[in-house]
Amino acid sequence: MERTNDVSWRQLTLGHLSRNKFWGEDPDTQYHPVVASSVLVQDGGTRILVDPTLPVEEMERRLQRCCGLDRTGIDIVFATHFHTDHRVDAEKYPNARLYMSPESVREAADLRSQGGPLAQAFLNGAVFDFQAAPRRLSPNVAVQPLPGHTLGLAGLVFTSGGKRVLLSGDTIMNREYYRAREGYFIDASQQKTAASMEWAAANTDVIVPGHGDWFFADETAAAGAPLDWRKLNLCAAGEEAAVLVRAGTETLLINPVLPGHLLRDALFDAAGLEPSAVTRVLCLKNDPQHTRDLPVMKNARFYLPERLAVAPGSAPAPGRPAFEAWRPTPSLPVAVADAGGTAVCLFGYGGRRIAVAAGPCGRQFLLDRGVDVALAGGPEQFLS
């Protein structure tokens, strides 16, 4: 976790939508399982689990891997709104108080009185065990109204690492919807959604949306940029980041550390892509973890950092594709540097510098190269 003062946060799920119109998916068809973005926030001694979206056993495994906690260590479960996928097994955190905004508590009660299919769909589980949240859940974590997806939806806002962070819930579904300033097709008010997004753009630095990975609040500055990127895994301590970079017709996968079936799922849920859509693969290490399951990317060319690449014309090892030495091109301006034996990818995005490393590398090395965000053997670091 990134820590400044007492506030820290750690994303526990890379949420995704059942369908995404910006990937050309039909709004009447479910393509993906529904997974919300769950986050652990710690303010001093208060631990807040936001929008638990997986069964408690799986959430507990993630808490242990990423934060060293079990379910008994959660003090508050906060649901950004009353929809079922944002409060799965909320009652099974034995020491936690359950909170939603006062408006969400009223919305749930009103929906119960109306009855019908929406009540059956959204009011299962422990929804009526949730209490009306105070304006602050802890000294440095405020409840922020963000009406749109539901009229009572509220996120959390706090400062971490010198940045204003917003956990937005479903009023901001993911980066594509935010860039377009559009809400989801089931939003209660598209007008209120757009207004809430404008508030986020003006008042925050980093947004964790309801169904996606975090992104910078000034994403609109990068919306027309020639290069885009996103993580494919969560990077527990010591786990290297698999990162997708897209530029024009090129799709580059850096660090293919996920096994084939998990890679297929991650590509599809993060970007709506099949492995066959990957055009280049850059392995930052020449070892089995980085070079396994490469044949699933049947249309890709494969690369290693120049110092690791074998001599041109050499025969590849049995069962492995031929590797070329990586060099940046105008269409893919991704450089590779060496940090004391650790290969580091560097590329620009929306006026910022992103680093993806094959393992931990020195902070000074990153600062000297103007890096803003580093993924280096664990969760991302915000350096400036």
Side-chain angles (χ1 to χ4, degrees), residues 8-330:
S8 60
W9 64 283
R10 182 72 163 92
Q11 194 163 345
L12 301 173
T13 59
L14 291 173
H16 44 265
L17 296 166
S18 62
R19 64 216 75 184
N20 188 334
K21 61 179 273 187
F22 295 101
W23 301 345
E25 294 177 345
D26 185 343
D28 295 325
T29 302
Q30 179 167 339
Y31 297 83
H32 314 266
V34 179
V35 176
S37 300
S38 301
V39 178
L40 181 76
V41 177
Q42 184 165 336
D43 184 9
T46 302
R47 300 184 182 101
I48 306 165
L49 179 59
V50 183
D51 285 347
T53 192
L54 301 173
V56 67
E57 294 80 10
E58 177 58 28
M59 287 303 307
E60 186 170 51
R61 283 192 286 272
R62 296 187 180 221
L63 283 166
Q64 289 172 335
R65 284 185 66 226
C66 296
C67 310
L69 298 174
D70 61 27
R71 71 184 75 177
T72 65
I74 301 303
D75 302 298
I76 295 171
V77 172
F78 179 80
T80 54
H81 58 298
F82 62 84
H83 288 175
T84 307
D85 55 319
H86 292 257
R87 49 177 182 80
V88 175
D89 286 346
E91 72 280 9
K92 295 182 181 179
Y93 297 86
N95 299 321
R97 291 161 286 164
L98 308 185
Y99 283 132
M100 291 190 295
S101 71
E103 294 79 10
S104 286
V105 170
R106 286 196 294 270
E107 276 188 302
D110 291 345
L111 187 57
R112 177 171 60 177
S113 67
Q114 297 167 14
L118 287 180
Q120 292 178 2
F122 291 131
L123 299 184
N124 61 339
V127 63
F128 296 109
D129 292 338
F130 279 78
Q131 302 174 37
R135 294 185 63 183
R136 288 186 175 271
L137 296 185
S138 60
N140 300 297
V141 179
V143 176
Q144 174 61 44
L146 294 170
H149 184 66
T150 66
L151 297 182
L153 189 147
L156 298 182
V157 64
F158 51 88
T159 298
S160 179
K163 291 179 169 51
R164 193 79 163 154
V165 179
L166 174 68
L167 312 185
S168 75
D170 286 5
T171 291
I172 302 175
M173 280 292 190
N174 64 17
R175 64 172 66 187
E176 287 91 359
Y177 283 84
Y178 177 77
R179 287 173 177 175
R181 296 296 194 266
E182 288 189 25
Y184 209 42
F185 67 99
I186 59 171
D187 277 11
S189 170
Q190 294 282 336
Q191 183 177 9
K192 290 182 182 295
T193 292
S196 291
M197 288 182 179
E198 292 301 335
W199 180 91
N203 292 280
T204 68
D205 301 305
V206 173
I207 296 171
V208 183
H211 290 268
D213 195 11
W214 67 268
F215 56 86
F216 291 109
D218 60 359
E219 276 282 287
T220 48
L227 184 148
D228 199 1
W229 73 285
R230 61 194 65 205
K231 299 198 310 286
L232 298 181
N233 60 344
L234 280 166
C235 310
E239 181 184 60
E240 294 158 26
V243 172
L244 192 70
V245 175
R246 303 178 73 181
T249 60
E250 296 277 19
T251 299
L252 168 67
L253 175 62
I254 303 170
N255 279 350
V257 294
L258 299 173
H261 67 290
L262 295 180
L263 175 62
R264 183 181 297 274
D265 291 346
L267 284 169
F268 190 58
D269 291 334
L273 298 176
E274 295 290 341
S276 58
V278 176
T279 60
R280 299 174 189 254
V281 177
L282 175 53
C283 301
L284 293 181
K285 288 181 178 177
N286 189 5
D287 65 23
Q289 184 185 17
H290 281 245
T291 57
R292 65 187 176 189
D293 298 317
L294 295 182
V296 301
M297 291 165 284
K298 58 186 179 182
N299 295 321
R301 295 169 66 178
F302 302 98
Y303 298 85
L304 287 166
E306 191 165 9
R307 67 178 179 82
L308 298 178
V310 297
S314 299
R320 294 182 62 188
F323 286 88
E324 304 172 51
W326 177 264
R327 293 181 180 85
T329 67

